[in-house]
Amino acid sequence: MKLNLSLSKIAEIMEAKLVSAHPEEKVASFVTDSRVVAPGDAFIALKGQKHDARRFIPDVLKKGASVIVAEAEGFTVPENSNASFLLVEDALKALQALAKYHRVNSTLKVAAVTGSNGKSTTKQMLRAICETAGETVANMGNFNNQFGVPFSLLEIQDKHKYGVFELGASKEGDIEEIASLAVPDAAVITNVGPSHLEFFHDMETVFRTKTEIAKCLNFGGTLVYNADDEFLSRLKTEFKGKSISFGFTPGADLQILETDNFSFTYKGEAYVIDVKLERHDKLNAAAAAGAAIALGLYMDNVKKGLLSFTPMPMRLERVEKNGAHFILDCYNANPASMKNALEILGREAASPRVAVLGDMKELGASSKEYHRLLARYVQDNRVEYAFLAGPEMKYAYEALKSAPGVKTFYALTPQGWQKELSATLAKGGTCLVKASRSMNFENVLKEI
């Protein structure tokens, strides 16, 4: 980040008490990891549920940190310190205030993407499109929460023409909190599905949370939403601002056509892009195209961007190993993405079709129901072998173990059936490997 703001200005933005002998000293960037602090760095002591980074302040001062942001309550400025101190009520809110100031004082166009599935892929597709028109900044990896989004926004520089930021949520209010920092010119909602139900409890709450993004649109901004989604389709009548709907649904503003290549109609014109995508990625591409239009880009940018797009690792990634074909999808898992991945496996010609599945996390009271439902998805999609692991997958196993046509293995961990899996794939076949991120199922492939 390149802030170039004086301590006195930062104190004003953060509503902080400044203790400094050099109030006009300029600050370029902040760090939060005490382990990487170097002489002259500015350190924000964030306070989480389990850890209070203020306990590292003596260490970072010894390393030469020149500026410290810390919560004032219970904190005493060390005597005889040459560092400057910004004392705030809430360190995270102070960071967010600085990020919002930086964003609203920039000139770039911003798109924010949320949804239960597909938001990372949509973000990457839209980033590829924007990069055909100018320098683009985007958040990386899992920097999509209350901590990650502010730091991503602070990476905005004068050279950037576009910003694309993914927004995640684990409870109601999360999207509004971080979307209000991004102030998007285009707000994208990919879908509403059963994810994080341990915290949301019901689908109506998921819908309310995802649509919080619409409240945070910049003046004249556009909402881009999935017309195929049973919840989001309500926005056609409920949302009164500018919008672009997308989907296979007749009447969607950007209607995807049932063709091999990705093609769609928009405002009476048909567009064909010479790229083959699975059905779910056609929806992601349509979301990205709709957002690009909302940002003022052209169809030529959409075409060039989608043709240059490279899928993310462990997101339905195709891998060949020891004569077998693998579909590696270990980044995350919820009921909708499991169903989609199994449908892709079912369309594969190379037999045997093998499903290696691990727990879907954060489904709360609905976990048993959704894991049992996987049994039907497995049977509906010509799966011949199912290898299941994890405490929640026992419910899928109970529903599958006597199912005709599917040979099923279950263990708490993949080590319980790793040898049988390797033997099954010894002569080839197609194997889907999918589980929630915390299951680390990419290691299954390493052992084959």
Side-chain angles (χ1 to χ4, degrees), residues 9 18 45 94 109 123 209 256 270 283 286 364 378:
K9 183 62 179 178
L18 177 60
K109 291 284 187 180
K123 177 196 74 177
T209 302
I256 307 166
L283 284 164
V378 167

Side-chain angles (χ1 to χ4, degrees), residues 215-406:
K215 303 176 188 177
C216 305
L217 277 164
N218 204 354
F219 180 77
T222 303
L223 178 65
V224 181
Y225 67 91
N226 184 347
D228 292 356
D229 187 280
E230 62 174 310
F231 286 90
L232 295 178
S233 62
R234 290 157 43 180
L235 294 173
K236 184 174 183 178
T237 55
E238 293 180 8
F239 182 69
K240 303 305 180 184
K242 288 170 60 178
S243 66
I244 296 174
S245 62
F246 64 89
F248 292 89
T249 301
D253 296 319
L254 194 156
Q255 185 182 341
I256 307 166
L257 302 176
E258 298 280 6
T259 58
D260 290 339
N261 288 339
F262 176 54
S263 60
F264 58 90
T265 60
Y266 181 72
K267 289 193 172 180
E269 295 288 332
Y271 300 90
V272 180
I273 300 176
D274 189 19
V275 58
K276 285 185 169 31
L277 300 171
E278 297 285 355
R279 189 177 183 87
H280 70 285
D281 269 338
K282 288 182 178 180
L283 284 164
N284 295 332
I293 292 166
L295 293 176
L297 280 81
Y298 299 101
M299 288 300 180
D300 190 47
N301 299 115
V302 173
K303 288 182 178 181
K304 288 179 180 177
L306 291 179
L307 286 169
S308 67
F309 167 72
T310 302
M312 299 171 67
M314 295 195 298
R315 303 289 183 97
L316 294 170
E317 182 182 2
R318 303 281 180 152
V319 178
E320 300 288 336
K321 186 174 182 181
N322 298 337
H325 179 72
F326 292 86
I327 306 171
L328 191 62
D329 196 18
C330 306
Y331 189 83
N332 209 348
N334 58 44
S337 66
M338 276 285 195
K339 181 175 185 288
N340 174 69
L342 285 165
E343 287 174 349
I344 291 171
L345 176 62
R347 292 195 291 271
E348 294 289 327
S351 182
R353 283 171 290 277
V354 180
V356 175
L357 309 178
D359 284 355
M360 300 179 287
K361 300 296 188 182
E362 298 180 354
L363 291 176
S366 302
S367 185
K368 180 178 180 179
E369 172 192 351
Y370 280 117
H371 280 87
R372 288 186 66 84
L373 187 59
L374 283 182
R376 194 176 82 194
Y377 299 156
V378 167
Q379 290 175 280
D380 287 348
N381 288 289
R382 302 193 301 160
V383 174
E384 296 157 76
Y385 293 85
F387 291 83
L388 313 176
E392 298 301 304
M393 273 294 165
K394 67 182 178 183
Y395 301 118
Y397 174 68
E398 288 169 358
L400 259 182
K401 61 185 178 182
S402 58
V406 184

